[in-house]
Amino acid sequence: MEQADIVIVGAGIVGATLAWNLRDSGLDVIIVDRAEPGGATTNSTFAWMNASSKVRRGYGPDYVRLSVDGWCDAYELALEIPGDWMHVTGNLEVVAADQAAALEGDVRRLVGQGYLTQYLDPERLAARYPELVVDEGSAAAWYPDEGWIDGPALVTDIARRLEGGNVSFRTGDVVGFDQDGGSARVTSVRLASGERIRTGQVVVTAGVWTADIAALAGVTVPMAARADASVPGIVARATAPADGLRHQIMGGGDDFVVRPHRPGEIMLTGEGHGLELTADTSPEEALRGAEALLTVAAKTVPALRDCDVTSATVCLRALPADGVSITGADADVPNLYVAVTHSGISLAPTLGKFIAAELLSGRPEEALEPFRLARFR
Ligand SMILES: Cc1cc2nc3c(=O)[nH]c(=O)nc-3n(C[C@H](O)[C@H](O)[C@H](O)COP(=O)(O)OP(=O)(O)OC[C@H]3O[C@@H](n4cnc5c(N)ncnc54)[C@H](O)[C@@H]3O)c2cc1C
């Protein structure tokens, strides 16, 4: 039977950044994925790297702090792993006149946390962005350090850099666990191929499938049901405007977000698609929704009028039941650690660092304390 000190189940951005932070541990680490590393939600996401949305959407101080840490740690990771995966485009959030005061307050809060943000009152917005069409009195926030992370590129780069070291990537579909009859501790991970990996520590970083996998060991991970309206989201690609797109632009409340993507491409998401999304929304409907999104965005950003949608995907958010990250083990199965989160593109750089520190030291990290499974009991 194969053996590893730590088995990580799921090689998306969360599992891969954790693996990266275990590279100098001297421990044998196997990261198992049933498919291409970085090929699931980490590939289909909108991938906006930010912490500002946590303040703007009214999350509590612990999650805001974790998100600001995540944003800082993404920059640190970019120094450790130089490559073409981090794209700092800046982000302009445009709001209607009746939202301007709230935006200004949020900008002050963000600045107070060391986050680089600038409030643009209606005059400054109009002077700086004459190409945008906005209603009278609209204001904006400018976040120069935000951008997007190419998740699959980062995961591939991590896998390449770890090759030949103490961390190995392995293809395998995890279908169960062997557990000690007395303590319930996991003793080995079972794969669909019939193979087993003996281990002293499992970490489940399987995104939207996390609850299913943890349940195999008898651990309940409360996550929003797939049928919940907040779980599916639409992400679309389109051809870029002739003169490109300067930054990410958000507008109309949550109606649209558009940003530069790979060369010649832009990416869109938002709620202005006019569909009732479900996990089963057909590809044709998704395309229709993406075209509606592009039309909505083009009202504010006229340069988008000549763009064409090239693809649209409905993908599912790995959403813990109360909306914020879950990190840690359940008391009943202490060596099965769970790490699942929405906003994982932004949070993975910091989650990977803190989770590795907890696993290696055996001591809880203060930053992760608010995110334990025990809060659901
Ligand atoms: C519509 C949408 C928009 C989003 N926008 C943003 C955004 O703008 N900014 C942001 O920060 N975040 C965003 N997110 C969230 C972010 O994309 C996710 O939180 C993140 O990608 C999750 O990464 P992960 O590693 O946890 O999961 P995944 O990338 O899904 O990785 C999990 C892995 O587990 C593997 N796996 C599953 N089951 C098994 C098994 N039985 N055996 C072996 N392997 C298994 C899968 O193959 C997969 O590779 C968005 C998500 C959605 C759906």
Side-chain angles (χ1 to χ4, degrees), residues 11-362:
I13 194 166
V14 176
T17 50
L18 169 60
W20 175 252
N21 283 285
L22 293 169
R23 69 193 181 285
D24 294 325
S25 63
L27 300 175
D28 286 327
V29 180
I30 296 180
I31 175 162
V32 189
D33 202 296
R34 63 183 174 195
E36 187 68 24
T41 314
T42 294
N43 183 38
S44 52
T45 172
F46 188 70
W48 168 28
M49 175 189 78
N50 81 98
S52 60
S53 61
K54 306 304 179 303
V55 167
R56 298 286 293 128
R57 290 172 191 166
Y59 283 98
D62 295 325
Y63 197 47
V64 168
R65 201 179 112 201
L66 189 73
S67 303
V68 175
D69 280 348
W71 167 75
C72 293
D73 285 338
Y75 278 89
E76 196 176 323
L77 196 63
L79 296 175
E80 287 174 6
I81 309 179
D84 195 23
W85 58 268
M86 190 182 190
H87 301 268
V88 180
T89 59
N91 175 31
L92 184 77
E93 179 181 4
V94 180
V95 300
D98 62 348
Q99 296 295 313
L103 179 66
E104 192 174 7
D106 285 346
V107 165
R108 266 202 222 102
R109 279 185 66 197
L110 280 158
V111 170
Q113 306 225 12
Y115 198 82
L116 198 54
T117 316
Q118 185 181 29
Y119 175 70
L120 303 180
D121 63 23
E123 290 70 36
R124 291 173 88 186
L125 173 62
R128 212 194 278 183
Y129 292 93
E131 71 274 28
L132 300 184
V133 177
V134 297
D135 292 336
E136 177 92 25
S138 294
W142 167 236
Y143 310 98
D145 287 349
E146 294 185 357
W148 66 283
I149 286 178
D150 189 330
L154 175 59
V155 171
T156 305
D157 205 347
I158 287 176
R160 189 179 53 78
R161 285 165 191 267
L162 292 178
E163 226 173 84
N166 63 313
V167 180
S168 53
F169 281 65
R170 171 101 145 62
T171 305
D173 189 0
V174 171
V175 292
F177 300 102
D178 296 314
Q179 289 172 269
D180 180 86
S183 68
R185 288 176 70 85
V186 172
T187 53
S188 59
V189 176
R190 282 194 264 133
L191 305 183
S193 59
E195 294 159 283
R196 286 180 155 88
I197 308 171
R198 189 190 296 280
T199 188
Q201 177 70 57
V202 175
V203 186
V204 184
T205 52
V208 81
W209 301 278
T210 298
D212 304 336
I213 295 176
L216 298 171
V219 172
T220 302
V221 179
M223 290 178 68
R226 274 156 208 243
D228 191 297
S230 56
V231 169
I234 219 171
V235 175
R237 293 179 192 210
T239 55
D243 293 333
L245 192 64
R246 272 209 276 170
H247 328 293
Q248 173 166 302
I249 300 174
M250 310 169 59
D254 281 338
D255 274 359
F256 76 90
V257 192
V258 60
R259 65 161 170 81
H261 193 52
R262 296 189 178 134
E265 278 188 317
I266 57 171
M267 197 169 246
L268 293 129
T269 192
E271 302 300 320
H273 43 67
L275 302 175
E276 278 189 24
L277 292 181
T278 70
D280 301 319
T281 297
S282 70
E284 296 74 26
E285 265 189 295
L287 268 180
R288 258 197 301 119
E291 271 151 20
L293 257 179
L294 184 58
T295 306
V296 167
K299 287 183 187 151
T300 305
V301 190
L304 301 178
R305 281 184 196 140
D306 296 331
C307 301
D308 295 307
V309 171
T310 50
S311 70
T313 315
V314 171
C315 44
L316 303 183
R317 297 181 173 95
L319 202 59
D322 59 0
V324 303
S325 317
I326 297 175
T327 58
D330 183 78
D332 293 341
V333 187
N335 69 340
L336 185 117
Y337 192 111
V338 172
V340 62
T341 193
H342 182 51
S343 295
I345 297 292
S346 304
L347 291 171
T350 211
L351 290 178
K353 194 176 85 175
F354 283 132
I355 295 168
E358 286 199 330
L359 294 172
L360 296 176
S361 71

